[in-house]
Amino acid sequence: PLPGRCAYFVERKKRFCKMIPAPGKRFCGEHGHQEKENDRKRIPCPLDPKHTVYEDQLQKHLKKCNSREKPKPVYFVQDINAGLKDVVEIPEKQVTISSLSKEELENLIIKLKKATNGLELDLKEQILSHQALQEALNDPKNGESAFKHLKQQASILGNMEKLHLLGPGRCFIEFGAGRGKLSHWVDVALQDVEDIQFLLVERATTRFKVDGKHKKRDSIFERLQVDIQHLCLNKVPILEKKKLPVVGMGKHLCGAATDLALRCLVESYATCCDGENEEPAPKRLKNDKTEVPPKSSTDNERNKEDFKPVAGIVIALCCHHKCDWTHYVGREFFKSAGLGPVEFHYFQRMSSWATCGMRETIPKASTTEESEDHTNNTKEHDQPYSKTDNGSDTLQGLLTVEERKEIGALCKLLIDHGRIEYLQQQGYKAALQYYTESAVSLENVLLTAVPEP
């Protein structure tokens, strides 16, 4: 071992541990069980066996272990946005696509084309930008990957501006926030606007957050570490205290997370806020004899019309193969088209053909120079795919690459159209559009929704 370092040899890494032990000790705290000290024994932690603890200090350790179950926040309501409660209609076993016979696959494709017949297949291009990101977009220090992220964020902000969503007196909720870059740019765009709040929803702990950049600003940033499935916005203190119109947003909100977010906004929050915006009549002193005209019913109706709990929704969609029938908001649309959970299962699996098809794996040499922004923001949809990722070899004799891409695109469109129908039934004007070029991101569809006037 190196001088002053732990004497434990890590077999897996074929080297000695590099931790520094306490004065007079040969081993660090993690490997202290190698050193007999008054017969004290170290055992694996029952909450997380990846680390050890002295057996005689176990109870003390369990109270402060980072792996312990933490108390649920006030806004945690079990499965409030989960959707389908009864899972009886979902088959227990699903056969993989590669196991389907030629006839079964052909029947699925016929059903898919019949269901998408009449839908708008060519989405409108709405590739916009925003002044707030111009300096960053023109900065030569940003690498290619960072530039792609910035172009997407700029277009999302441009679309929000076009829908008049970038305004005062609103709470912006970023679902699947990660480092919080989208909220950061919205804050930059609204630096001269008063009375705005940001809620960043992310179930996992995140490194390299950009939240610290806002400490010297008047904007209110709050992180909610909770799964969207259990998030009740009405119980979030800042929204409970002051019923604010919210703007839901997300950049590449994977699969079922989009459905959970939509239900969280238009069912959980919007429904509970309705009827709670009427202002109470002003209090009068005992000696005050001035008559206050009663509030007319037309005034109440006008106030209700002015307040929209959800001012708008802007979500960049992705990873349709991670959708789930139990959470999917477009189940009624699927049923009206004569489709059910079995077809949904296959369509969501086939949707990945649109983005990963049979592309050649990107050479490693082209990915060596990655920017910090890309390193910390990389998700499944940004990863290179190999030929065999989707069992494509078994289908090579049945479908060409172009046919697979076309079928995958139809699957994505069908799933997204179910979301549009759901929002329309809830009283929103919803649309799908391309918000960036496919060269920037293969997941380049943006879902937008605003309340119907």
Side-chain angles (χ1 to χ4, degrees), residues 116 118-125 409-410 413 432-434 445:
T116 53
L119 300 183
E120 187 180 349
L121 301 180
D122 297 322
L123 301 183
K124 182 181 177 182
E125 273 198 0
L410 287 177
L413 177 69
L432 298 168
Q433 53 262 314
Y434 294 121
V445 175

Side-chain angles (χ1 to χ4, degrees), residues 142 261 325 335 443 445:
N142 285 319
W325 178 257
K335 290 176 182 177
E443 298 283 14
V445 175

Side-chain angles (χ1 to χ4, degrees), residues 297-342:
S297 59
T298 54
D299 288 337
N300 289 335
E301 288 174 9
R302 192 176 295 114
N303 282 339
K304 286 183 180 180
E305 289 175 4
D306 290 343
F307 179 77
K308 303 287 186 184
V310 179
I313 300 169
V314 180
I315 296 175
L317 306 168
C318 86
C319 298
H320 295 73
H321 63 279
K322 289 190 172 183
C323 290
D324 191 315
W325 178 257
T326 58
H327 303 316
Y328 182 51
V329 295
R331 289 193 303 268
E332 292 305 316
F333 165 72
F334 256 65
K335 290 176 182 177
S336 67
L339 305 172
V342 175

Side-chain angles (χ1 to χ4, degrees), residues 181-243:
K181 275 295 187 74
L182 187 56
S183 293
H184 164 72
W185 290 118
V186 172
D187 185 44
V188 172
L190 297 174
Q191 56 185 338
D192 299 323
V193 177
E194 296 180 351
D195 193 22
I196 57 169
Q197 286 85 27
F198 290 90
L199 294 176
L200 282 66
V201 182
E202 179 60 65
R203 66 181 177 183
T205 53
T206 309
R207 300 175 68 197
F208 308 111
K209 296 187 287 286
V210 295
D211 304 26
K213 294 183 179 181
H214 310 280
K215 289 180 179 178
K216 295 180 181 179
R217 302 274 289 276
D218 296 330
S219 308
I220 299 173
F221 273 72
E222 183 180 347
R223 278 194 173 258
L224 308 180
Q225 190 176 341
V226 63
D227 194 308
I228 306 170
Q229 182 172 335
H230 313 300
L231 171 61
C232 179
L233 289 175
N234 300 286
K235 293 182 180 290
V236 176
I238 196 169
L239 293 177
E240 189 177 30
K241 181 181 178 182
K242 183 180 180 183
K243 293 295 180 184

Side-chain angles (χ1 to χ4, degrees), residues 10-24:
V10 185
E11 188 64 35
R12 182 173 60 86
K13 297 183 178 180
K14 303 299 181 185
R15 63 165 174 77
F16 285 94
C17 173
K18 294 182 178 180
M19 298 298 289
I20 301 174

